[in-house]
Every structure is written in C-alpha cells, then in structure tokens.
Amino acid sequence: MSEVRMAAKVFGDLRNFNQERIVLVVTLLIFATSSIFLPGFVAADNLVAIVRSVSVLGILALGMSLVIIGRGIDLSMVAVMAMSVALYLQLLNGGQSEGIALALALGFVLAIGLLNGFLVAYADVPAIFVTLASGSFVFGYVRSQLIDTDAVTVPAGHWLLGLGGLRIAEVPIEVYIFAVLSVVVFLFLRFTKWGRYIFFAGDNPAAARNTGIPVRPMLVLRYVLSALTAFAAGLLTAASLQSINTRVVNSNLLYDIVLVAVIGGIGLSGGKGGVRNVLVGAALIGIMLNAMTILDIPLIYQNLIKSTILLFAIIVDGLINPRDEQTAQQGDI
C-alpha cells in the first residue's frame, strides 16, 4: 500500500473515532482512580460538590453549544452573565421595584443578544470579533457608568437568597435547574424544526438557505438564546454566592465554557454535537478539577492543565471535523 493510501486510511480511521465515547471512558477512569487513591473523593458531600461546581458552567456551555453547533461562537457570555445580574441587583439595591429591575435587566440582555446576532447575520462580521467587542463594551460600560463597585450583593429578603439555600434531597437547586435546562435544550434540538434548523445551518449554510431555511433569523435567535442562558447562569451564581462579582469577566471562566463544549465532542466546524456532549464534558472537567483540588495542586498549574487540554481538544477537533472551504471563507469562528 502506498504512503498516500496509508495516510488516507489512518486519517479515515481517525475520523471514525467517537470523541464523546473516548472522553466518557477517560472520565470513568479518572473517577475510578480518584475513588481508589484520593481520601474522601467518593463521600456523598464531595460528589454533590462536584455536580454543583459544574452546574452553572454546564448551563453556560448549553448556551454556547447552541451557537457553536450553528457555526459560531459567543465570547460575550461571561460579560453578559456578570454585568446583567450586577445591573439587576444594583437597581434593586437602589430602591427600584422587582418588576422594573428585572424588565430592564432582561431588556439589556436581549439587546446584546440581538446586536450580536444582527452584526454576525446581517452585517457579516465574524462572530469572534463581534462577541469579543460586545463583551468588552458591556463590561466597560456597565462597570463605569451603571454600578459603583466590583461586587454587588443580593438585597436582604430577596427571593434569590431563598433560591440559593434551597435543597431537595440534600442536592442544591442549581443541579436540578441544570438538569431541567439540559432536557429543554435536548427537546428543542431534537424535536423542533427550529432546533433542526440549527444543525442544517451549521452543517451547510448555503444549502440550508437554498432549501428555504431562514438562516439569518435563526442565527440571531441563537445569540439571543445564548444571552438569556448567560443571564440565567448569573442569577444562579448570585443566588449561590449571595452576590455577583464583576471580576469574573477577567477570569478563565470563558475558556472553561469552551473547554466543556469542545472536549465533550461539539465540533467547532458546526452541525455536530448536542446536550450529551455538554454533559460528558462537564463531568470530565468537574471530576478532574475536584481531584486536583484534593491533591492541593496550585491554581496556576490547574489553569495550565486546563489550557493544555483545551488546546489538545481543538487540535483533535480539527482532525476529526476538518473545516471546509466555505467555513474558512466565512471566518465564522
């Protein structure tokens, strides 16, 4: 067999790999190893802590997955999450009524989602630049003009405080909310025409447009859903911590979101992936971070390990799901 045929065979075998199954096996191996060698890892409280730690991250990854499956990316998610909830709490602390404060915060979130979607869909600006710029603008404008502190607390007696302390069968409420949202997104993608449109547009935008699918409006919808998901994640964060710290915008959270989606098997080239991939990716990251914390590995090395995994996942994704010429020309990601 010639070298060309050999290379083609190897490449073909690589493309037949199921990344989701590989990651699931790795997750189970890490879980089994940690259970044996790390004291307290399989304790009920620690297992609940693992699931709780990835709940908000998983919710954000659900929103990001909707955008990535449709051949996009949303780098403004963390800024929208932190600043919209900070604005909401600032209005409440300033004496504004619950209804008006929530309406203004939601209007702010929808405006950012619509702006991102419009610039990507109708102005043909690459999503990576649009969302990076909008995220920076949201953070800078809200922090400098609308709120006067990095951390904004939840007002006394507010319903978020009750939500943050709510547990069902000793499991925090955010775990159940993550589960419910996972089911909702799964049903949306699998059983609605709008969900199927996301896969069609992500797989081949030109063909989807030629068949009559409203590609541009659907693109706007994805960014609106991403922004709303970020707002929901921000509310849960505020409920859990009794405040929201805007400095999270400068943290590694955005990279963790992309890591969960990509490592789970959602292809950056679009048209591939789903909720199951998010769950697998979240499980791997949650177990791995918990194990590193028990081992007392410094945060700087944890970030190094995560960044290495993300880089490796992107390389593998590029081999398994090569970008076609059309995607490269569009510059969607």
Side-chain angles (χ1 to χ4, degrees):
M1 181 181 294
S2 67
E3 293 182 359
V4 175
R5 290 183 179 179
M6 179 67 72
K9 183 178 185 300
V10 172
F11 183 71
D13 292 339
L14 179 62
R15 294 192 62 185
N16 288 330
F17 284 173
N18 188 318
Q19 183 176 339
E20 176 191 338
R21 293 179 180 176
I22 296 174
V23 173
L24 179 59
V25 171
V26 172
T27 302
L28 294 175
L29 288 175
I30 295 176
F31 182 86
T33 303
S34 300
S35 301
I36 296 172
F37 296 104
L38 297 182
F41 181 82
V42 292
D45 290 343
N46 189 61
L47 295 179
V48 170
I50 292 175
V51 179
R52 185 178 189 178
S53 68
V54 298
S55 294
V56 171
L57 178 60
I59 290 172
L60 290 166
L62 287 174
M64 182 69 80
S65 67
L66 294 176
V67 179
I68 294 178
I69 291 172
R71 283 198 182 189
I73 197 165
D74 188 356
L75 302 183
S76 67
M77 284 195 77
V78 177
V80 171
M81 177 194 80
M83 307 317 292
S84 62
V85 175
L87 175 61
Y88 169 59
L89 297 179
Q90 177 81 1
L91 290 170
L92 291 174
N93 287 321
Q96 194 63 261
S97 67
E98 170 71 24
I100 293 178
L102 185 59
L104 290 175
L106 276 174
F108 176 77
V109 169
L110 290 173
I112 298 302
L114 288 170
L115 177 64
N116 284 340
F118 176 82
L119 291 176
V120 175
Y122 293 97
D124 292 325
V125 183
I128 190 170
F129 298 124
V130 169
T131 57
L132 181 63
S134 66
S136 298
F137 172 79
V138 166
F139 173 71
Y141 179 76
V142 174
R143 180 62 186 85
S144 64
Q145 303 297 319
L146 301 179
I147 63 175
D148 53 10
T149 182
D150 285 330
V152 185
T153 59
V154 179
H158 193 263
W159 59 270
L160 280 176
L161 296 178
L163 181 67
L166 184 60
R167 289 173 173 262
I168 301 176
E170 299 302 320
V171 178
I173 190 62
E174 53 260 43
V175 176
Y176 294 100
I177 294 176
F178 175 37
V180 170
L181 288 178
S182 297
V183 172
V184 170
V185 174
F186 170 78
L187 295 176
F188 171 73
L189 289 174
R190 179 64 64 89
F191 297 106
T192 69
K193 66 177 182 180
W194 304 105
R196 291 191 292 271
Y197 286 170
I198 293 177
F199 285 100
F200 296 154
D203 184 56
N204 193 324
R209 187 176 293 111
N210 291 335
T211 59
I213 293 176
V215 173
R216 295 185 192 275
M218 282 300 304
L219 187 54
V220 175
L221 175 63
R222 292 197 291 276
Y223 284 97
V224 170
L225 292 177
S226 176
L228 290 173
T229 303
F231 183 60
L235 290 176
L236 286 177
T237 300
S240 175
L241 302 178
Q242 301 183 11
S243 67
I244 190 75
N245 194 327
T246 60
R247 291 185 180 180
V248 71
V249 177
N250 299 318
S251 70
N252 294 319
L253 179 57
L254 181 61
Y255 301 101
D256 291 343
I257 298 169
V258 177
L259 176 60
V260 167
V262 176
I263 197 68
I266 295 179
L268 289 172
S269 58
K272 178 179 179 290
V275 172
R276 202 166 55 192
N277 302 99
V278 172
L279 297 178
V280 170
L284 173 61
I285 299 306
I287 292 172
M288 184 181 67
L289 292 180
N290 185 267
M292 289 193 295
T293 300
I294 294 176
L295 290 171
D296 199 24
I297 296 177
L299 183 60
I300 187 172
Y301 292 110
Q302 293 188 28
N303 291 332
L304 177 61
I305 293 171
K306 288 190 297 181
S307 61
T308 303
I309 293 174
L310 177 58
L311 179 61
F312 178 75
I314 291 175
I315 293 173
V316 172
D317 175 77
L319 294 173
I320 298 179
N321 307 296
R323 294 160 58 87
D324 57 29
E325 182 180 356
Q326 183 184 47
T327 304
Q329 291 174 348
Q330 289 178 336
D332 285 2
I333 299 179

